[in-house]
Amino acid sequence: MADIYKAVKLTDKVYWVGAIDWTIRDFHGYTTHRGSTYNAYLILADKITLVDTVKAPFREELISRIASVVDPGDIEIIVSNHSEMDHTGCLYELIDLIQPEQVVASTMGTKTLGDIYHRDRTITPVKDGGELSLGNMRLRFMETRMLHWPDSMFSYLPEEEILFSHDAFGMHLATAERFDDEIDPAILDYEGATYFANIILPYAPLVTKLVNRVASSGMTFKFIAPDHGPIWRRDIPGVIANYSRWAAQKPTMKSVVVYGTMWHSTERMARAICEGLAAAGAAAKCMSMEVFHRSDVVYEVLDAGALIVGSSTLNNNMLPQVADVLTYLKGLRPANLLGASFGSYGWSGEAAVHIADILKEMKVSPVAEPLKAQHVPTREDLRKCYALGEEIARKLGEK
Ligand code: FEO
């Protein structure tokens, strides 16, 4: 294996030694259309240091890439920036194999690793703002609590101007290329925004604070090296600016109309709403949950100003595919949205009301009462849907 999987050089002293997961398509409900990578980094300091590891099934790939540069047994320090299993799945096997002098994590990281793996190996806590000597280099630590776990921390290598940023600034994208300047910028924009929307969004206010803290820290970057996807070396200002913009969730003139339908009645209502939106100058994204995935919806909501959700009533409730996307969206806590609900029904019509209740819990500002149509929408029903679209566009224009 050692002659197949090679390390990739960032600088003379720092190498990528991670793993490429070409086939993963689900990350806790988030569809990873293009696979992912689990990035780990080797620092050839006086004390050879490994920053993060990889998901358990990729242990051999990690060891092989390390072995293409140094004997894995020469690693003296392992840094765990984030305890989640895609970065620590083989941590203890690696510890057993190479017996490093020291393993470090944030204070919460030491606890979390203990809670996950139930091993008695001592993990040394490092403090926010603290430094660890690697001999001729040092690592400086910055806790990034709740981005996106309580344990998360950045490690910064000032001598090489590299920020090891765990999940932050990452994306789920499996490629043979390792650096941002080797990959189509449109793919980076799309996958970066999708990743932010599906993983980072609940903690958006913390992102804003973190970006400000990084900006005032005096740190300079030649590389931002996340734990997933490409390493940033060309457009570092761009990726930081994207995080600021996405975290702000400034509403735009775009509306996302999400729906589930039984006999196309709710679908006709959705289409009429979209026509009204477009006619009044708002962009409309019409998303049937029969064909779109929940993580695609979240991507569209990230820069939207309105979320309009519809469902036929089935057994006094909304359709399961609509409940699915609402549950997912609610957890991700999108902000600054106008909204409305709608749906067709046969004889009871609870779906639109239940949706309105959930939108309220999500702090989506209602523009109108739930809009219902019995069995098949009449011309008048569709006219009301069209008018709802116009009204939402008008309110978006006032924001
Ligand atoms: Fe990539 Fe939160 O783990």
Side-chain angles (χ1 to χ4, degrees), residues 82 84 86-87 148 167 228:
H82 177 29
E84 195 164 6
D86 47 336
H87 310 297
H148 68 125
D167 284 343
H228 297 289

Side-chain angles (χ1 to χ4, degrees), residues 232-254:
W232 301 94
R233 68 180 176 188
R234 177 187 60 183
D235 195 16
I236 290 171
V239 69
I240 294 174
N242 278 345
Y243 263 53
S244 286
R245 181 166 52 86
W246 294 329
Q249 294 182 80
K250 192 161 179 254
T252 67
M253 284 293 287
K254 170 179 160 186

Side-chain angles (χ1 to χ4, degrees), residues 105-315:
S106 68
T107 304
M108 283 303 296
T110 61
K111 178 182 182 319
T112 308
L113 288 169
D115 291 345
I116 294 172
Y117 295 105
H118 309 291
R119 288 278 304 260
D120 56 7
R121 173 61 157 85
T122 302
I123 310 288
T124 306
V126 291
K127 286 193 166 63
D128 183 43
E131 285 195 354
L132 179 69
S133 172
L134 314 182
N136 58 339
M137 297 192 213
R138 66 220 138 102
L139 277 174
R140 190 181 304 154
F141 304 107
M142 178 186 282
E143 287 188 354
T144 62
R145 287 189 184 206
M146 295 318 300
L147 285 173
H148 68 125
W149 275 26
D151 57 273
S152 306
M153 71 173 186
F154 286 169
S155 298
Y156 177 62
L157 188 67
E159 287 77 10
E160 301 288 294
E161 297 174 80
I162 300 175
L163 181 71
F164 301 103
S165 64
H166 62 79
D167 284 343
F169 305 119
M171 66 185 69
H172 288 311
L173 176 63
T175 52
E177 299 77 22
R178 294 277 63 80
F179 298 98
D180 64 325
D181 52 281
E182 301 170 322
I183 300 168
D184 181 347
I187 293 175
L188 297 180
D189 283 350
Y190 173 78
E191 294 298 346
T194 302
Y195 181 93
F196 187 98
N198 281 273
I199 294 181
I200 309 289
L201 187 59
Y203 314 106
L206 298 177
V207 171
T208 304
K209 285 184 186 166
L210 178 66
V211 168
N212 291 338
R213 190 178 169 200
V214 167
S216 62
S217 69
M219 291 190 286
T220 52
F221 307 122
K222 286 187 177 150
F223 298 88
I224 291 183
D227 275 357
H228 297 289
I231 298 158
W232 301 94
R233 68 180 176 188
R234 177 187 60 183
D235 195 16
I236 290 171
V239 69
I240 294 174
N242 278 345
Y243 263 53
S244 286
R245 181 166 52 86
W246 294 329
Q249 294 182 80
K250 192 161 179 254
T252 67
M253 284 293 287
K254 170 179 160 186
S255 293
V256 181
V257 180
V258 180
Y259 67 93
T261 196
M262 289 173 67
W263 295 104
H264 301 290
S265 292
T266 300
E267 181 169 69
R268 291 176 68 191
M269 297 174 78
R271 293 178 65 128
I273 293 167
C274 288
E275 290 295 317
L277 283 162
K285 192 81 187 176
C286 197
M287 307 186 83
S288 162
M289 292 315 297
E290 274 76 42
V291 295
F292 286 96
H293 191 270
R294 66 179 86 84
S295 38
D296 301 325
V297 172
V298 177
Y299 165 79
E300 294 295 345
V301 167
L302 181 62
D303 65 350
L307 173 64
I308 306 154
V309 183
S311 175
S312 317
T313 292
L314 174 71
N315 300 330

Side-chain angles (χ1 to χ4, degrees), residues 5 12 19 61 65 74 114 135 141 175 185 210 254-255 260-261 289 295 302 336 364 367 371 386 391 396:
Y5 294 113
D12 287 344
E61 186 172 335
R65 292 194 199 276
D74 291 342
F141 304 107
T175 52
L210 178 66
K254 170 179 160 186
S255 293
T261 196
M289 292 315 297
S295 38
L302 181 62
N336 305 327
V364 173
V367 171
L371 195 53
Y386 185 93
E391 175 66 2
L396 284 175

